[in-house]
Every structure is written in structure tokens, then in C-alpha cells.
Amino acid sequence: MEGWQVLIPKLAFEHEFLLHGIFSIAALHMAATTADPQQVLSYLDTALQCNELAFAPFREALAHLTPDNCDAVFAQSAIVTIIGIALPRLNAQHRGESCSMIETMMTVFELLQGASKISQISKSWRQASIFFKYDWRENPALDPDMANSIAELRMLNSSIGNTDPAQHRINKEAIVSLQDSFAKFTHAPHPAPIIAWLTYANREFVDGLRARQPFQLFILMNWAVLYELGARYWWAKGCGKALVAELLSEMKDWNETWESALQWPQQMVGI
């Protein structure tokens, strides 16, 4: 965790958007762990203000990736994801605002659009990166249950390939990425593999989620298992389970068709 606890704060003094991002996530962490209701609201306000200050310079850096800023952009992508997940839930808890986990994830996907370019930077950049050891595309074997789930996703997607090759390709890319994230998390539990799948999702897949395409929602449900496995992190507690529950409701017309495949995500999150 040295890269996150020591090197990232050092990077933040060179990249203002990352400094604001760290302040924002720190305020959210305080809001999530503070008992005094008034202090919680103050921390939430601070988190929102810092997040707003980070937004424009982060998007600018994302549009102009270089070897000098790629580590900071990668770190801020992770922070943006955590803020995007935690802030709506904390606002719902302490301010009575509505919160849909599906809509929260859509917002996170939108915030991260363009971050997939990080995966396309040259190999020499990545090898020099402080995050190289978290390279989520270099993976060990899958846990057997996860392997079965991925195999079932592939099988279901193969039937789509017969009628819609473009959709099959979009789904296949998302499934491959999910397999990589599962494997990396199994080998070394860490937030990076959880967040990575969101970061590298392509626009077409996100558009399918927003249009509530059933199979793409089902892929998201399988990612929610990984999300729930990260529940030891304050920003992820209960989120995977809540997301699976919402997705089950959204996909109720498909419950019989995919009954067998739907059982594993439910079992894994305790539904």
C-alpha cells in the first residue's frame, strides 16, 4: 500500500487536482466515521467543495496524458470512483436524499469516461509507473467459483453473437476485463482491481447499461460481487449487495431465463 499512503500524497503537491481529490476523500472518510450529525454534514460539504475544485483540472489532465501526469491521473481516477460511490450514499443517509445504486454507477462511469486511455499508454510509461505492480492485466488463476461465473457469462454471450455480433464484442470485452479484475483481486485483495473494471469500461458498454440492456446489467451484477468482496473498505460497505438487489428488480423479466446464472451473485452478496 506504500504507493497509496506515501507516494500519492507526494504526487499531490505536483498536481492540484489530486490534492483536492485527497482532501475530498479524506472529508468523506471522516463523514463516514463521525458520530456527530452536524460534523458529518460539515464534512460532506467540504468533500463536495474539494471535489468540485478537482473536477476541471482533472478532466484537463485526462485529455492531455503524459509520462509526468499519468500516475496522478490514475490515482485521481480511483479517488473519483470512490467519491462517486460514497458521496450519494452518505448524502442519502444523512440528508435524506434519494440514492439509486444503479444511477450512482452510471454517474461514476460518466465521470471516468476517457480514463480508459490510461490503459493505452506506452509500456515504458507503465513500467516506470508507481502503480506498475497493480497492473491489473497481468493475472493469476481465477477462484473456481469465479471461473464458473465467467464461463457462464461467456456461454450466454455466445448466443448473442449469433444475432448481434457488435453487441457480442462489447460484452466480450467487458467479460474479459471482469475476469482480469476477479483474478487480480483473488491474488492480492486491493481496491485497484475493483475500480479498474469501471475505469476501463468502453463507451458502448456504458451506453448499454444506461439503456438497461439486460445482459450488460447482468455483467454489472457479477462485478457487484467483486464490489461486495471489497466491503472491508469504508466506501464499499453494503454497496455490492445493494447493487445486486436493485439489478435483480430491474431484471425481473429475465429471472427465469437466467435463473441458474443469477444464483451465484445473490449467494455471494447474501441475498
Side-chain angles (χ1 to χ4, degrees):
M1 293 291 288
E2 181 188 6
W4 298 85
Q5 296 173 340
V6 178
L7 298 178
I8 296 307
K10 288 182 179 179
L11 266 181
F13 287 105
E14 302 172 17
H15 303 277
E16 187 179 6
F17 62 84
L18 183 55
L19 187 63
H20 290 308
I22 290 173
F23 287 152
S24 181
I25 201 171
L28 279 181
H29 192 186
M30 292 300 296
T33 55
T34 297
D36 186 313
Q38 290 304 313
Q39 285 189 338
V40 169
L41 295 179
S42 177
Y43 283 129
L44 288 175
D45 288 341
T46 299
L48 183 59
Q49 291 167 5
C50 292
N51 191 43
E52 289 174 348
L53 288 171
F55 183 76
F58 171 59
R59 299 305 298 182
E60 177 69 16
L62 194 55
H64 300 92
L65 277 174
T66 69
D68 292 331
N69 71 9
C70 66
D71 277 342
V73 170
F74 183 94
Q76 182 64 11
S77 296
I79 289 172
V80 164
T81 303
I82 293 170
I83 293 170
I85 290 168
L87 186 57
R89 285 179 63 83
L90 288 169
N91 275 332
Q93 181 180 347
H94 296 285
R95 288 192 161 124
E97 297 178 5
S98 61
C99 178
S100 160
M101 279 303 303
I102 296 176
E103 286 305 315
T104 294
M105 298 317 302
M106 294 302 101
T107 300
V108 170
F109 277 122
E110 292 297 331
L111 289 171
L112 290 174
Q113 282 304 300
S116 60
K117 290 189 295 185
I118 300 169
S119 68
Q120 300 164 5
I121 61 180
S122 71
K123 187 175 181 180
S124 61
W125 289 17
R126 288 190 289 111
Q127 287 178 333
S129 168
I130 62 175
F131 296 110
F132 185 62
K133 64 181 177 180
Y134 301 121
D135 188 343
W136 67 292
R137 293 188 182 277
E138 298 178 3
N139 298 307
L142 273 178
D143 168 272
D145 288 339
M146 292 178 179
N148 288 337
S149 173
I150 292 294
E152 193 138 26
L153 285 173
R154 291 184 188 278
M155 181 184 68
L156 291 170
N157 191 42
S158 65
S159 63
I160 294 174
N162 297 328
T163 57
D164 192 340
Q167 197 65 55
H168 175 268
R169 174 188 57 79
I170 294 167
N171 295 338
K172 182 179 179 180
E173 290 178 3
I175 293 167
V176 168
S177 296
L178 182 60
Q179 177 179 345
D180 290 342
S181 290
F182 271 142
K184 190 65 176 178
F185 187 86
T186 300
H187 176 68
H190 187 274
I194 302 173
I195 293 168
W197 185 76
L198 302 174
T199 303
Y200 295 122
N202 66 40
R203 166 61 72 178
E204 294 168 308
F205 182 77
V206 176
D207 288 344
L209 288 173
R210 189 164 290 285
R212 300 299 195 266
Q213 293 291 334
F215 191 67
Q216 286 162 349
L217 291 176
F218 183 43
I219 295 172
L220 178 63
M221 184 186 293
N222 278 263
W223 172 81
V225 171
L226 185 62
Y227 194 2
E228 187 66 20
L229 291 174
R232 62 182 174 141
Y233 303 111
W234 63 270
W235 48 270
K237 287 181 180 177
C239 293
K241 183 175 182 177
L243 181 56
V244 170
E246 279 191 30
L247 289 167
L248 283 170
S249 177
E250 189 75 29
M251 297 168 58
K252 58 182 180 295
D253 293 339
W254 292 83
N255 286 356
E256 291 186 12
T257 306
W258 296 335
E259 182 178 4
S260 174
L262 286 166
Q263 288 178 359
W264 183 73
Q266 293 179 75
Q267 291 170 355
M268 289 298 293
V269 302
I271 293 179

